[in-house]
Amino acid sequence: MELSDNDMEYEGDIRVYLSHHYDGTGRSEIGTDALAVQAHSPTMLLGTSYSSPRFEFTAIHEFGHALGLMHAHQHPEANIPWDKEKTYELYRQKFGWSRAQVDLNVFPLPRDASRTYAAYDRHSVMHYEISNEYTLGDWKQTENPHISAADIAFIRRIYP
Ligand SMILES: [Zn+2]
């Protein structure tokens, strides 16, 4: 079948929607989940402008999801001492997230036999910044704007 110019515009498996109207957030389908998205819909949202200091982090982080990576801070062995009630409240205030959205994107996920795991890496680009106010005691992690050595090793392992 011959593709029209209009169809070719939507040919990519990863379709990025760039908009600065999303307060610096981003989202992406995880790996091949993108193939189930309707042809004319984006599979990734980058809610930052090119000039934002967070653009590089957001783009690398969301492309990590597109390559199939989950969040490092949700690793089953992350053992982050979350102040859960405070975290629900802070994400509700900051992004309007429901408790279910926080469970899905922030707190640890149970180990899943169908997934491949590396060791927990708090320096991964797939780790959220977590300030002290979200945790009990003295635990925090800054945002890592670059791909960590462990990120590179893991990507090499899953894409040999
Ligand atoms: Zn993410």
Side-chain angles (χ1 to χ4, degrees):
M1 187 186 89
E2 194 89 355
L3 290 170
S4 72
D5 284 350
N6 197 38
D7 288 334
M8 301 214 357
E9 221 176 292
Y10 299 102
E11 211 179 357
D13 291 338
I14 300 171
R15 296 178 299 277
V16 181
Y17 178 52
L18 277 172
S19 172
H20 62 276
H21 296 296
Y22 287 89
D23 59 25
T25 63
R27 64 166 187 79
S28 173
E29 297 297 324
I30 307 288
T32 53
D33 288 358
L35 299 175
V37 175
Q38 281 190 337
H40 290 208
S41 298
T43 65
M44 182 187 296
L45 165 73
L46 297 180
T48 55
S49 69
Y50 294 119
S51 57
S52 163
R54 292 196 71 246
F55 181 80
E56 185 180 355
F57 167 81
T58 307
I60 294 171
H61 179 97
E62 298 310 333
F63 272 94
H65 284 315
L67 290 172
L69 302 185
M70 306 288 284
H71 286 143
H73 54 274
Q74 295 187 278
H75 192 288
E77 275 99 57
N79 288 321
I80 297 166
W82 291 105
D83 184 335
K84 287 190 90 168
E85 285 308 315
K86 205 167 175 191
T87 300
Y88 283 128
E89 183 54 26
L90 289 167
Y91 274 95
R92 189 190 64 75
Q93 287 172 15
K94 206 171 169 187
F95 299 117
W97 283 9
S98 67
R99 290 171 77 93
Q101 281 175 295
V102 177
D103 289 339
L104 199 67
N105 290 288
V106 180
F107 293 142
L109 296 171
R111 189 167 274 277
D112 178 340
S114 71
R115 295 199 175 277
T116 304
Y117 290 88
Y120 168 63
D121 172 22
R122 67 188 290 170
H123 302 294
S124 170
V125 76
M126 301 311 294
H127 205 294
Y128 279 2
E129 173 171 33
I130 299 167
S131 70
N132 242 325
E133 64 181 327
Y134 292 77
T135 62
L136 301 166
D138 185 23
W139 200 101
K140 66 179 176 186
Q141 179 60 50
T142 53
E143 195 166 87
N144 308 296
H146 306 294
I147 302 167
S148 73
D151 287 332
I152 293 169
F154 188 61
I155 286 288
R156 282 196 175 132
R157 188 174 134 208
I158 62 175
Y159 291 95

